[in-house]
Amino acid sequence: MEQFLRTAAIFQSLSQTDLMPIANASKKVSYPANELLFSEQDPAAHFFLVIKGSVRLYRLTPDGKEKVIEIIRAGETFAESVALLDKPYPVFASTIEATEMVKIPAAVIRSLMMQNTGLALKMLASLSLRVHKFINDIHTLSMSSAQQKVAGYFLAFLSDETTEQRIQLPSKKAIVASRLGLQPETFSRVLGKMKERGVILEEGAEIVVLQPEKLRELRDSA
């Protein structure tokens, strides 16, 4: 279990002594595609680390449609902040595809943090990085055009903006479109224009960014 937990940023700085009680209390689980993991306002008894697959966090609009808040991929955790604060889940969570993850009991983490100030500080530092990511996400969603939103979304996944890189999309593009506040057909139209310009290629569920500098120009265009 320890090797799985080490893949998550929130646990990477912990010593083996700090991590072992968490590993012993955690459980590896598998779910099929489109499995509901929890509903909005359920008690936050666990938080989760995705090992394989992906998860969407979403809310329901008044007419019952999903509005995707975040897409969680392998190596990422979710629901840790509400679990650590002993608050109910503020969103729904469902798997996008067949997914393996680690369920981590929130009560165990809260107990360890009360006993170990160093552990608490390390975990808070990791959570602050998550907040920084949310700020970047808000910036992307605030962009005026669909082209800017899609370009900003892709650029957030690149380790740098100078070399060709690949981005793994969820199996359903509609999920990414919802995440960006776009209609699926609008998202597909933007992808088509980017491909025509030679900025990206599509290979199955992967986006190959051929010209990151051109993508940056599209993000920053008026």
Side-chain angles (χ1 to χ4, degrees), residues 1 4 23 26-31 51 100-103:
M1 189 64 65
F4 295 131
S26 300
K27 180 180 180 182
K28 183 174 178 288
V29 292
S30 299
Y31 296 100
I51 301 171
E100 297 177 2
M101 63 183 71
V102 177
K103 290 179 67 174

Side-chain angles (χ1 to χ4, degrees), residues 176-191:
V176 178
S178 177
R179 174 73 185 85
L180 295 174
L182 302 174
Q183 293 297 319
E185 57 270 23
T186 302
F187 181 65
S188 294
R189 187 162 58 249
V190 172
L191 291 185

Side-chain angles (χ1 to χ4, degrees), residues 10 42-47 79-90 105-111 113-114 123-124 127 131:
I10 197 170
D42 281 352
H46 298 85
F47 66 97
E80 63 269 45
S81 56
V82 289
L84 294 177
L85 293 171
D86 199 15
K87 300 290 185 180
Y89 297 119
V108 171
I109 301 291
R110 289 196 298 269
S111 176
M113 288 175 68
M114 291 178 66
M123 298 197 72
L124 287 172
L127 287 174
V131 172

Side-chain angles (χ1 to χ4, degrees), residues 107-165:
V108 171
I109 301 291
R110 289 196 298 269
S111 176
L112 290 171
M113 288 175 68
M114 291 178 66
Q115 299 169 29
N116 187 332
T117 305
L119 171 63
L121 290 173
K122 289 174 183 177
M123 298 197 72
L124 287 172
S126 293
L127 287 174
S128 70
L129 294 176
R130 187 70 173 270
V131 172
H132 181 71
K133 179 179 181 296
F134 280 135
I135 292 172
N136 287 336
D137 288 346
I138 291 169
H139 175 68
T140 295
L141 292 175
S142 70
M143 293 176 179
S144 58
S145 73
Q147 176 181 269
Q148 287 175 314
K149 290 180 179 181
V150 175
Y153 179 79
F154 288 161
L155 285 168
F157 289 97
L158 304 188
S159 57
D160 62 64
E161 297 181 8
T162 60
T163 59
E164 177 181 315
Q165 295 177 64

